[in-house]
């Protein structure tokens, strides 16, 4: 089975097209659970409720994690509590945002 760290690394290819930073460094991934049967459950949020690219981000996340060995199924569940804030971003994510002119 993959580790949580491997799942998070795989998710780093998933980006919100409106923000040039991956979902992990943005702090959008809240929880990852991996079953012995190879099911990966991901609990994550988006930067805003009603994000128009929600379905695209879900599909990208599912595809990225399905590439890992022994993963048979991926479930992405979007949650809104706690709400996302820039405080959830990694230091690398904040650095990337500043490079693109965002004030974080």
């Amino acid at each position: 089975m993959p580790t949580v760290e491997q799942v998070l690394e795989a998710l780093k290819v998933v980006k919100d097209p409106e923000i040039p930073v991956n979902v992990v460094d943005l702090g959008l991934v809240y929880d990852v659970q991996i079953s012995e049967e190879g099911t990966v459950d991901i609990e994550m949020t988006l930067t805003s409720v009603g994000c128009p690219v929600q379905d695209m981000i879900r599909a990208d996340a599912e595809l990225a994690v399905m590439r890992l060995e022994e993963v048979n199924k991926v479930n992405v569940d979007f949650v809104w509590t706690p709400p996302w804030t820039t405080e959830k971003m990694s230091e690398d994510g904040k650095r990337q945002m500043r490079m693109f002119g965002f004030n974080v």
Side-chain angles (χ1 to χ4, degrees):
M1 285 302 115
T3 64
V4 170
E5 292 77 20
Q6 289 171 315
V7 171
L8 292 173
E9 191 62 33
L11 287 170
K12 286 187 176 183
V13 301
V14 180
K15 295 185 179 183
D16 182 325
E18 298 172 337
I19 303 172
V21 180
N22 69 70
V23 296
V24 175
D25 287 327
L26 276 173
L28 299 178
V29 179
Y30 287 173
D31 189 41
V32 174
Q33 298 290 321
I34 304 162
S35 77
E36 292 180 15
E37 295 79 30
T39 298
V40 178
D41 292 309
I42 301 166
E43 186 175 279
M44 63 184 294
T45 194
L46 297 170
T47 56
S48 64
V49 175
C51 179
V53 294
Q54 178 175 333
D55 291 338
M56 186 181 85
I57 291 174
R58 173 183 279 122
D60 288 352
E62 290 170 350
L63 288 171
V65 176
M66 281 299 295
R67 291 186 179 117
L68 296 172
E69 286 186 40
E70 299 186 51
V71 172
N72 298 314
K73 184 177 180 183
V74 179
N75 299 312
V76 177
D77 184 31
F78 289 107
V79 297
W80 308 108
T81 304
W84 178 83
T85 66
T86 56
E87 293 174 5
K88 296 188 182 306
M89 294 176 67
S90 70
E91 286 305 313
D92 190 45
K94 290 177 183 177
R95 182 187 57 75
Q96 291 175 57
M97 291 287 285
R98 287 190 291 271
M99 286 176 37
F100 287 102
F102 291 92
N103 186 18
V104 290

